[in-house]
Structures are given as structure tokens and as C-alpha cells.
């Protein structure tokens, strides 16, 4: 298209359409002065910046969504990059298996957790942590989940959904973690042994290494059906579309894909 992106053309078309609509109104009212037409056009645009900006944003969002969908279809046609891990609990009963790389102290992870509630997927979790406090909370989550998957799921949800308590202190202390474990129905006296067990820190290092191999350097990141990588937290409708695409073209890797 002679170097012009589709977004540029859509933006120009939106601006032109909006301006022509203004001309129609002016002509109808007999107010159009050819000598002042440029000024009239600018006056129209300045008078309705929010409407024009909305049109441009919608065009940009639609272009982004189309590009993401096309990329997802290419990924789903390729071989899986991530196989199932029998050591990890899978939460949910329907939809493709989704490996979520997450971090408790991540505002985008919290947003994604709330945004995608109720989607048809089976989730397995890995952690990509930065600070020692993050790793302590993730180790607790791993240990609790291994001992009691249901309690582990509740523990994860409580930490993700808490906005008043969990991260107000300088560090996620063992005492605070024990409180959340108790709320999740896990004996808090067992938490100390989990935090002292070196295998959970080893597991976190494995998660970080896997993320590097998959070229994932931020949370949240999602690997759907072992093939489709979604970075960040796209709108719910786009994540639902990604899950639908994976379900209709699921892989033959045991434990991956839809039913």
C-alpha cells in the first residue's frame, strides 16, 4: 500500500468521514463559506475531539486484534513448544490446558486473574518471580498445591484477589502467608516446613529457565495448548477467541488441548 499502514488509512478515512459529515451539516444550514472552508473543517474537528479519537482508537484496536488472531493461527499450526507436566496440578474441567506464568506481586497478573474468571480453560501454574518476597509466596503456593490441590487453588486466589492486606507490608512474611494458608483451609503449622524445603526454590528456578527458553520475560504470560503464546493481558474477548481457536485445532500431545 505504498508504505501506508492499514491503521494510517483507517485513521485518514475516519477523519475524512467525520469532516464530510460536518460539511453536510454546514451545507444543510446554508453556512458553508468556500473562502473559510479550511477554518470550518478545523472548527468541526476541534469541537468533537473525543468522537474523532474514539473512531481512531477503535480502528487501532481492531487492527491489533486482527494481527493477534493471525499470529495465533500461525502458532497453532506449528508443533507444541511446551508439553504437559504431570507434577503440576491442573485446575478446571473443560477447555484447553493453559500454562500461566504469573507472579503474586504483579498488578497485571491480578488484573488478568479477575478479567479471565469463568473462561473455559484448564489452568496449570508456573511462577516467574523477581524479589525474594515473591519467591517466598510462590514457594508456599507450590508446596500447598502439591499437598492439597484444592487448598492450593484457594490460596492462589486469595493472594491474587487481596488488595488490602497481602502486599501492604514491606515483605510477604511467613506469618502473613500462614494467615492466608489457614483461610484456604491448609494447616498453617505445615507452612514452615514447606518454606524450608529447597525443592520449591529449585522448581522456581526451573520455571525461570523454561520461561527463558520460551522467550517469556514478563508476567502474565500464557501458553495455550502447548503451542499458542499470549503475552500480557489482552481483552477478555480476545483471550476467549484464543481459547476457542486452540480448542478447535487442539494438538495431539497427551494432556494438552481440548477434550
Amino acid at each position: 500500500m505504498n508504505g501506508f499502514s492499514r491503521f494510517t488509512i483507517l485513521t485518514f478515512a475516519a477523519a475524512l468521514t467525520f469532516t464530510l459529515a460536518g460539511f453536510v451539516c454546514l451545507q444543510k444550514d446554508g453556512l458553508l463559506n468556500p473562502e473559510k472552508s479550511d477554518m470550518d473543517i478545523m472548527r468541526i474537528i476541534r469541537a468533537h475531539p473525543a468522537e474523532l479519537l474514539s473512531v481512531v482508537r477503535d480502528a487501532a484496536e481492531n487492527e491489533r486484534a486482527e494481527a493477534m488472531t493471525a499470529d495465533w493461527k500461525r502458532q497453532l499450526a506449528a508443533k507444541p513448544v511446551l508439553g504437559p507436566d504431570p507434577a503440576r496440578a491442573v485446575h478446571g474441567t473443560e477447555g484447553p490446558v493453559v500454562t500461566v506464568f504469573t507472579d503474586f506481586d504483579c498488578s497485571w497478573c491480578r488484573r488478568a486473574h479477575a478479567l479471565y474468571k469463568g473462561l473455559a480453560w484448564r489452568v496449570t501454574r508456573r511462577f516467574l518471580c523477581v524479589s525474594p518476597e515473591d519467591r517466598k509466596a510462590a514457594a508456599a503456593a507450590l508446596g500447598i498445591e502439591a499437598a492439597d490441590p484444592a487448598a492450593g487453588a484457594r490460596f492462589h486466589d486469595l493472594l491474587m484477589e487481596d488488595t488490602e492486606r497481602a502486599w501492604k507490608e514491606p515483605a510477604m512474611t511467613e506469618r502473613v502467608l500462614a494467615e492466608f494458608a489457614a483461610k484456604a483451609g491448609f494447616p498453617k503449622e505445615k507452612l514452615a516446613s514447606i518454606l524450608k524445603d529447597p525443592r520449591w526454590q529449585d522448581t522456581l528456578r526451573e520455571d525461570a529457565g523454561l520461561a527463558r527458553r520460551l522467550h517469556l520475560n514478563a508476567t502474565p504470560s500464557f501458553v495455550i495448548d502447548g503451542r499458542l503464546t499470549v503475552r500480557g493481558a489482552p481483552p477478555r474477548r480476545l483471550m476467549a477467541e484464543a481459547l476457542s481457536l486452540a480448542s478447535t485445532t487442539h494438538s495431539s500431545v497427551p494432556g494438552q488441548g481440548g477434550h
Side-chain angles (χ1 to χ4, degrees):
M1 293 187 179
N2 297 324
F4 290 100
S5 71
R6 186 167 177 268
F7 171 65
T8 301
I9 294 172
L10 285 172
T11 302
F12 177 79
L16 182 59
T17 300
F18 197 82
T19 303
L20 290 175
F23 265 114
V24 170
C25 293
L26 289 171
Q27 288 175 333
K28 182 179 179 181
D29 296 335
L31 299 176
L32 183 61
N33 183 342
E35 296 180 359
K36 298 181 179 180
S37 60
D38 289 346
M39 294 177 60
D40 291 335
I41 292 171
M42 293 307 299
R43 189 178 299 113
I44 293 169
I45 294 174
R46 284 196 295 268
H48 302 279
E51 290 86 346
L52 183 58
L53 181 60
S54 176
V55 171
V56 173
R57 282 179 172 169
D58 287 346
E61 182 60 32
N62 288 336
E63 183 181 26
R64 177 174 175 268
E66 290 177 8
M68 291 178 67
T69 301
D71 179 57
W72 291 344
K73 289 179 178 179
R74 286 193 295 271
Q75 291 187 52
L76 288 169
K79 294 181 179 179
V81 296
L82 180 63
D85 184 351
R88 300 290 176 120
V90 177
H91 305 282
T93 58
E94 60 177 329
V97 172
V98 180
T99 300
V100 183
F101 287 82
T102 188
D103 182 4
F104 286 116
D105 193 16
C106 167
S107 60
W108 281 99
C109 294
R110 293 173 182 275
R111 184 178 305 182
H113 175 76
L115 186 63
Y116 301 145
K117 268 194 168 183
L119 288 179
W121 60 3
R122 292 177 288 152
V123 176
T124 182
R125 301 187 184 97
R126 293 180 180 271
F127 292 92
L128 189 55
C129 306
V130 177
S131 72
E133 290 75 29
D134 302 342
R135 288 194 290 273
K136 185 184 297 182
L142 289 170
I144 293 173
E145 184 176 69
D148 184 342
R154 290 191 294 269
F155 180 80
H156 169 273
D157 292 350
L158 285 169
L159 279 183
M160 277 294 177
E161 294 165 8
D162 178 78
T163 57
E164 299 297 329
R165 180 74 177 86
W167 302 102
K168 295 295 183 182
E169 297 190 1
M172 179 56 75
T173 63
E174 185 173 331
R175 175 177 57 81
V176 174
L177 289 172
E179 291 176 8
F180 278 93
K183 290 179 182 178
F186 187 79
K188 60 182 181 180
E189 59 273 11
K190 294 184 179 181
L191 185 63
S193 60
I194 288 176
L195 294 176
K196 292 176 182 176
D197 192 334
R199 63 176 163 158
W200 306 123
Q201 294 299 327
D202 292 340
T203 299
L204 292 176
R205 283 189 285 271
E206 292 173 2
D207 286 357
L210 177 60
R212 285 193 297 271
R213 291 194 295 275
L214 296 177
H215 305 291
L216 304 176
N217 56 12
T219 57
S221 292
F222 306 84
V223 182
I224 303 174
D225 194 42
R227 299 173 294 161
L228 196 166
T229 300
V230 178
R231 293 172 173 82
R236 181 184 173 93
R237 66 179 181 83
L238 285 180
M239 181 61 81
E241 182 177 349
L243 294 170
S244 178
L245 287 171
S247 294
T248 55
T249 61
H250 68 85
S251 70
S252 60
V253 178
Q256 298 285 351
H259 293 297

